[in-house]
Amino acid sequence: MTPRTQTAFSARQRLLTALPYLTLPLFLAVMVALVWLTRSYDEEEQRATLINDVLWLEQNMQFKLDRNAAQLAQIGHELLLADRHQPQAGAALRQLVRAENGLARVIWLDARGHTQGALPPVTAGDQIGETLGAVPAESTFRLAAALGRHVYGPTYEVAGGGHQFEVHVPIYSDDAFIGAMVGIYSLQDLVINELPWWFAERYRVSVRNSDGREIVAKSKVAPLSDTRRYSMTFEPPGGGLTLEITAYQGETRWVPVLLIGSIVLLSGILIWSVWQLRRELGRRHKAEQALRGESLFRRAMEDSMLTGLRARDLTGRITYVNPAFCKMVGYDAEELVGCTPPMPYWDPDYREQTQEIHDRILSGDAPADGFEIRLRRKNGERLDALIFEAPLIDAAGRHTGWMGSMLDITEQKRAQELARQQEERLQATSRLITMGEMASTLAHELNQPLAAIASYNTGCLNRLDQPDIDREELKDIHAKIGRQARRAGEIIRRVHDFVRRSEPKREDLDLNLVISEAVSLIEADTHKRGMRIETDLAEHLPYIPADPVMIEQVIVNLVRNGMDAMRDNRPARRTVRVSTREEGGHLVVCVADRGKGIDAETARRLFEPFFTTKAEGMGMGLNICRSIAELHHGRLGFETNPDGGTIFTLSLPVEPS
């Protein structure tokens, strides 16, 4: 051991040896300080108890005064508005004028301040208000009427040495002042009856006027404390009154047991405290380790998620993004954290719409089922996203921001668009097939006007060969040729409108007109099959937002299905009935046939794709019809016809969704 090491060791030994001697004065100083602090704390605690009790007394007295004023207002409405006093009002008034409520008398006045009644009644022998004048005080009445709330008057002395004050409660009816209720409080009754027994056991309560003279007091015979005294303004009624509370002298409070116990047990307590502290530090270290592991686990979960996460504070500033979010928008976390609107990944073409959605979220109006939004990646590609927003709540329960979870639905939107286009192609194909089935009938329908045109033309040529020409006759023949040509053109136009493929469009639609055109389109096919179509169209139906070609396709399919169902019927029962009506905010189209009906197995699969009961059918007609109905937020269903057959019902909403 080197000399330097020996010197250091010796110094350490001396320090350890002297430590108990150095600790003893410190220990004595701590004990003296403990005694002084304990006495100071005891006095401060008694002072705080006094203040709390006084505040409780003040609040309790204020509550009783406010409650009495509210009851006076309620009773006043019944007394001043009714033609005659109601028994309930009188009973409530008698219940209110009791000593425990502090009220000595209640007087009710009209809008001019004239007395309408009093309880107890005022007699000639009553002398009140000797100091400040008559009761009720006119100045207090005018002030209450002007302020529109109850007003307390000053305290005045009455016969017998008592003191009273008034409260004026204005009464209104339809914003018109109709009078006031005047409550006359006895200061003695209010102070004496308001104090609970435990308060009177602890304190002496007195009320002094502006001159310092004691006018009301409640106390018991006991020595009073010189140090524990509290004074405050007596509000209401005010007017210079002071409420003084003085504590009774209690027994002297010493702490010898505490000092002796501290000396004996201090060493053991210190050792036990150090041991407990060591255990607590060990537990805290384990908790920190577990918290660190949990944090790393949650961070790993967030980093491995495919859902983008983004946190924002209440001002909209980004505070956190996970790797999935960065991958979706193409920006690094360092580029996004701290950004405020407009964000770099917002699409400039949709900036106003995006800003509107952003403001809705910050105002707490985020859609519960999420919202779709168009964004733009860093490389310029557009991104369709589905975002769900939820409030961020910290450990103290405070709302600190918003957490958004984002899903990339770009491919899903593309698939939906492709499916929509396929659906349109399928609908167009269905219309072409329908027209193919009706081709021969339409050819026959077109042949009639064309044959008539040829016949009229031959007659016209023959007339031109004759020496005398009747111009009026030729004019009539040409007019008939024009009518037949327009008829053929109308048939071709209806067929063209029906089979052409176009984008779905919504326009104000006259449903009855569409049904009439659909019936005209298949009228030739109806005559060929020996069928009849009856229409019962309700008048003055409202217009609906719908695509006319699609709705016409549904009507044509339903009517032709009805005719197919009646092909084996006798001629008298080959009638398809089409009717319309308005019901519950919807327009309802019913297509009823009188065929064989639909059995349970067929009904279960009726709307399935490629299911058909026809040898030559595709099984897509009703499926397409239902898709068109749902596209218009409507419904397609069926039920059994009481006259035999089936009734198909198409329901379309009047207002757009």
Side-chain angles (χ1 to χ4, degrees), residues 417 419-425 427-428 431 500-507 545-551 553 627-628 631-632:
E417 178 63 20
R420 186 188 65 81
Q421 294 175 1
Q422 294 290 348
E423 178 73 16
E424 291 177 11
R425 294 191 185 97
Q427 292 174 10
R431 291 197 292 271
R500 69 186 177 93
R501 180 173 177 267
S502 61
E503 292 292 330
K505 59 181 179 179
R506 298 291 180 93
E507 60 184 44
D547 185 290
V549 176
M550 288 185 176
I551 301 303
Q553 180 178 356
S627 299
I628 293 174
L631 179 65
H632 290 78

Side-chain angles (χ1 to χ4, degrees), residues 58-73 96 101-103 105 132 135-145 147-156 164-170 180-187 190 234-241:
E58 180 185 17
Q59 293 175 358
N60 193 42
M61 190 172 297
Q62 184 65 48
F63 171 77
K64 173 169 286 190
L65 293 174
D66 291 343
R67 184 189 61 187
N68 289 346
Q71 291 181 355
L72 285 173
L96 185 62
N101 289 329
L103 285 170
R105 175 175 281 108
L132 298 179
V135 176
E138 184 178 356
S139 60
T140 308
F141 172 81
R142 291 197 303 268
L143 181 59
L147 296 178
R149 58 180 177 83
H150 61 276
V151 176
Y152 291 89
T155 305
Y156 53 84
Q164 294 180 347
F165 64 93
E166 304 169 11
V167 58
H168 289 239
V169 182
M181 297 292 291
V182 180
I184 301 176
Y185 283 94
S186 169
L187 193 58
L190 183 64
F234 188 77
E235 294 285 349
L241 296 183

Side-chain angles (χ1 to χ4, degrees), residues 19 154 293 297 527 544:
L19 187 60
F297 174 72
H527 294 319
I544 60 173

Side-chain angles (χ1 to χ4, degrees), residues 394-625:
D394 63 7
R398 297 188 301 267
H399 180 201
T400 60
W402 299 91
M403 172 60 74
S405 55
M406 186 171 74
L407 299 175
D408 185 354
I409 59 171
T410 305
E411 294 301 325
Q412 179 182 346
K413 295 285 287 186
R414 290 175 182 170
Q416 289 176 353
E417 178 63 20
L418 181 60
R420 186 188 65 81
Q421 294 175 1
Q422 294 290 348
E423 178 73 16
E424 291 177 11
R425 294 191 185 97
L426 190 58
Q427 292 174 10
T429 302
S430 176
R431 291 197 292 271
L432 288 172
I433 292 172
T434 300
M435 293 310 303
E437 295 173 353
M438 299 168 60
S440 61
T441 304
L442 288 172
H444 174 74
E445 183 74 8
L446 285 172
N447 188 53
Q448 291 180 357
L450 292 176
I453 291 172
S455 177
Y456 288 139
N457 183 63
T458 301
C460 185
L461 292 175
N462 292 334
R463 295 295 295 168
L464 289 174
D465 291 337
Q466 297 178 4
D468 52 339
I469 299 175
D470 188 350
R471 297 178 61 87
E472 291 299 325
E473 184 179 3
L474 289 177
K475 185 177 180 180
D476 182 60
I477 293 174
H478 280 84
K480 292 180 179 179
I481 291 174
R483 284 197 298 271
Q484 294 299 326
R486 285 193 297 273
R487 179 186 174 193
E490 181 66 21
I491 294 172
I492 294 173
R493 183 194 64 79
R494 288 204 303 269
V495 172
H496 176 266
D497 289 343
F498 185 76
V499 301
R500 69 186 177 93
R501 180 173 177 267
S502 61
E503 292 292 330
K505 59 181 179 179
R506 298 291 180 93
E507 60 184 44
D508 289 339
L509 185 67
D510 185 346
L511 186 59
N512 287 344
L513 180 60
V514 172
I515 293 174
S516 299
E517 291 184 353
V519 171
S520 299
L521 184 64
I522 58 177
E523 187 175 7
D525 192 23
T526 303
H527 294 319
K528 181 180 178 181
R529 297 189 186 197
M531 302 284 179
R532 292 185 304 278
I533 299 178
E534 294 181 356
T535 57
D536 181 14
L537 307 181
E539 297 181 354
H540 308 299
L541 291 180
Y543 284 72
I544 60 173
D547 185 290
V549 176
M550 288 185 176
I551 301 303
E552 186 177 14
Q553 180 178 356
V554 174
I555 302 301
V556 169
N557 282 344
L558 294 180
V559 173
R560 296 189 75 249
N561 284 348
M563 292 192 298
D564 291 340
M566 297 187 300
R567 66 176 63 181
D568 296 331
N569 285 17
R570 63 179 185 271
R573 289 182 59 84
R574 294 183 179 181
T575 302
V576 178
R577 182 179 178 83
V578 183
S579 61
T580 59
R581 68 177 184 274
E582 184 179 4
E583 181 179 286
H586 288 69
L587 297 190
V588 181
V589 182
C590 295
V591 180
D593 64 66
R594 304 176 72 181
K596 297 179 180 179
I598 301 174
D599 57 68
E601 179 62 22
T602 302
R604 187 175 61 85
R605 304 183 57 192
L606 189 61
F607 292 104
E608 291 183 4
F610 306 110
F611 174 77
T612 180
T613 58
K614 306 175 187 177
E616 70 283 1
M618 290 178 57
M620 292 299 296
L622 287 177
N623 180 265
I624 291 173
C625 291

